[in-house]
Amino acid sequence: MAFGETKIRNYEERRDRARVEDLERRCEVGPAERVFLFTDTMGDAICRIRNSPMYKMLVAEVDNQLVGVIRGSIKVVTVRKPPKDLAKVGYVLGLRVSRLYRRKGIGLKLVRRLEEWFVDNQVDYAYMATEKDNEASVKLFVDKLGYVKFRTPAILVNPVRRRVHLSSNIEIAKLKVEEAELLYRKFMASTEFFSQDIDRILRNKLSLGTWVAYPRGERWGEVGADGRVENSNWAMLSVWNSGELFKLRLGKAPLSCLVYAKGSRVVDRLLPCIKVPTIPDFFNPFGFYFMYGVHREGPLSGKMVRTLCNYVHNMARKTKDCKVIVTEVGGCDTLRLHIPHWKLLSCPEDLWCIKALKNEERNGLHELTITPPSRALFVDPREV
């Protein structure tokens, strides 16, 4: 079948909103061998980039039919490439092409047009994230567009269920935004992909706050102007209410999972004393919290991370339709050992790929990608 010329243009909400929603629903796909979660933008196509400092969305048309979409955002982050510690990066996300129009170069054209926007805005590196086993995505970005495999963070997902008991040996306090910013700039400024506009993230209405945990009996004093903390063992994290932007849906589940989910909730309602582990209703769109900026100091801080996670879990129980708590950590980060999560819903190895867009950065890209990954990785909640 012959098709007309492909036209790439900016997204126009009034003209494209319904067509993009229909396209993304038809493009839903996930790994065949396990349960996966779909994002449901609830009709707001730019919700996943709206809070970024700079963003753009493009659509592809063929014969006046909308057949492809892509989104991108720009920010300044920390990179581990001496002698320069900061870089302007462009994030590529939400690439979709209608099944009927695949393998015709439309995805390639969308990415290249987005990269042109990055270059026009002096972006040093473009990067993207995909599932490690998404062969089509890896082939496009790595084989055709010259991206290089960079990091393999873990996405950890924990369902919100019964109230969790909090350790009586640990105190939890909510920090002021100014205190949180000082601590992040002091302890995470050198973390890979740390966002330099952390103050804007913390002050965003979707950021519910930052909490710190420390041993009971100790005093959490004022954070010094230089971010100095007197306590030797402590942990902190912040919470972003992603469910206010878009929802999640379970994309696939075996019949046994469906039966257990329904049955366990019935038993829990009729015989709560048995305390059967229940599975929330994941089969309708639901909200979620994203924990970001998880950091710990001291040999005893692992338990404090877990207590903070449990505190957020109990907080999420009070939020309408919040069914899971999500976080993303570096693949080598031992934090994952202290963050409650379900393996069934989590992704142990996400894949980040990166590409240098400036000639002077291309020589250093090899050094950047072969550098052993640091344990910590900052994941911007605006790009989840």
Side-chain angles (χ1 to χ4, degrees):
M1 182 184 296
F3 296 103
E5 182 181 356
T6 302
K7 178 183 177 182
I8 309 294
R9 61 171 177 80
N10 290 332
Y11 168 77
E12 299 174 17
E13 184 172 10
R14 182 173 296 181
R15 176 181 176 184
D16 301 324
R17 179 170 180 167
R19 295 197 296 169
V20 167
E21 186 176 14
D22 178 65
L23 170 67
E24 296 197 315
R25 185 173 60 253
R26 288 186 284 110
C27 286
E28 288 183 348
V29 65
E33 69 279 4
R34 64 178 178 83
V35 171
F36 56 91
L37 295 171
F38 281 134
T39 59
D40 190 332
T41 61
M42 310 297 285
D44 183 2
I46 64 171
C47 64
R48 294 181 64 192
I49 54 175
R50 187 188 302 279
N51 290 282
S52 297
M54 296 178 64
Y55 61 86
K56 190 179 213 43
M57 180 170 176
L58 301 171
V59 299
E61 285 184 324
V62 175
D63 298 328
N64 293 320
Q65 293 188 62
L66 195 148
V67 299
V69 298
I70 196 170
R71 301 164 179 84
S73 61
I74 297 174
K75 62 181 180 180
V76 177
V77 303
T78 299
V79 294
R80 300 176 68 241
K81 189 185 77 63
K84 194 167 77 169
D85 295 326
L86 301 180
K88 202 174 205 182
V89 297
Y91 182 43
V92 182
L93 72 157
L95 174 62
R96 301 284 187 274
V97 177
S98 175
R99 292 178 183 274
L100 186 62
Y101 292 84
R102 291 176 185 172
R103 290 180 290 277
K104 301 182 184 303
I106 293 175
L108 188 71
K109 291 177 181 178
L110 281 166
V111 177
R112 284 179 172 163
R113 181 66 65 85
L114 188 63
E115 288 180 346
E116 290 176 8
W117 178 65
F118 289 159
V119 171
D120 289 342
N121 286 278
Q122 293 78 50
V123 167
D124 299 302
Y125 300 99
Y127 76 107
M128 53 77 70
T130 187
E131 291 193 338
K132 194 176 181 179
D133 55 2
N134 188 333
E135 294 181 3
S137 182
V138 173
K139 184 176 180 179
L140 171 63
F141 282 93
V142 176
D143 297 346
K144 295 184 178 180
L145 287 160
Y147 284 68
V148 179
K149 295 179 181 180
F150 179 52
R151 296 291 181 256
T152 53
I155 301 174
L156 308 178
V157 182
N158 194 42
V160 176
R161 295 170 292 163
R162 291 176 176 271
R163 188 180 186 281
V164 180
H165 173 73
L166 302 182
S167 172
S168 59
N169 297 320
I170 295 174
E171 294 274 9
I172 295 176
K174 187 174 183 180
L175 298 176
K176 297 177 181 178
V177 171
E178 295 80 9
E179 292 177 317
E181 181 185 354
L182 281 172
L183 288 177
Y184 279 129
R185 294 198 185 278
K186 169 70 173 179
F187 292 96
M188 295 196 74
S190 61
T191 301
E192 276 190 326
F193 275 70
F194 177 76
S195 298
Q196 293 303 300
D197 64 338
I198 184 66
D199 54 323
R200 290 186 59 179
I201 297 175
L202 294 170
R203 295 181 188 280
N204 190 291
K205 65 180 181 180
L206 295 175
S207 190
L208 302 182
T210 303
W211 286 265
V212 64
Y214 55 96
R216 185 177 294 277
E218 293 186 9
R219 177 178 176 273
W220 181 264
E222 292 289 329
V223 178
D226 59 352
R228 183 174 53 86
V229 175
E230 295 180 357
N231 305 69
S232 57
N233 287 283
W234 58 277
M236 68 182 294
L237 59 75
S238 298
V239 181
W240 185 272
N241 189 4
S242 298
E244 286 293 314
L245 288 177
F246 62 95
K247 307 298 182 182
L248 297 177
R249 286 188 294 106
L250 194 66
K252 174 188 175 183
L255 179 61
S256 58
C257 182
L258 299 176
V259 172
Y260 179 80
K262 293 180 180 295
S264 63
R265 288 198 297 273
V266 171
V267 173
D268 183 61
R269 186 172 62 250
L270 297 178
L271 301 169
C273 58
I274 297 180
K275 296 185 177 180
V276 174
T278 58
I279 299 178
D281 179 10
F282 290 149
F283 310 106
N284 293 301
F286 58 87
F288 68 103
Y289 280 175
F290 184 80
M291 298 188 303
Y292 69 97
V294 185
H295 179 76
R296 65 187 181 117
E297 290 286 330
L300 305 179
S301 57
K303 185 177 181 181
M304 295 169 200
V305 169
R306 179 171 290 274
T307 300
L308 281 173
C309 292
N310 289 338
Y311 179 86
V312 174
H313 172 277
N314 291 345
M315 186 171 72
R317 293 182 72 251
K318 302 175 184 177
T319 301
K320 183 180 179 181
D321 87 351
C322 183
K323 300 292 178 64
V324 297
I325 299 165
V326 183
T327 193
E328 191 165 3
V329 299
C332 301
D333 197 336
T334 54
L335 268 175
R336 65 195 297 173
L337 302 176
H338 306 289
I339 297 175
H341 62 281
W342 272 19
K343 290 183 179 180
L344 180 68
L345 299 173
S346 300
C347 175
E349 283 191 316
D350 201 25
L351 176 63
W352 286 17
C353 299
I354 192 168
K355 175 182 179 178
L357 297 180
K358 292 181 178 179
N359 289 331
E360 60 268 30
E361 301 294 349
R362 291 190 177 110
N363 294 330
L365 180 60
H366 178 68
E367 179 184 346
L368 181 64
T369 54
I370 65 171
T371 301
S374 61
R375 287 187 173 184
L377 180 70
F378 186 88
V379 179
D380 192 329
R382 299 170 298 188
E383 296 177 350
V384 174

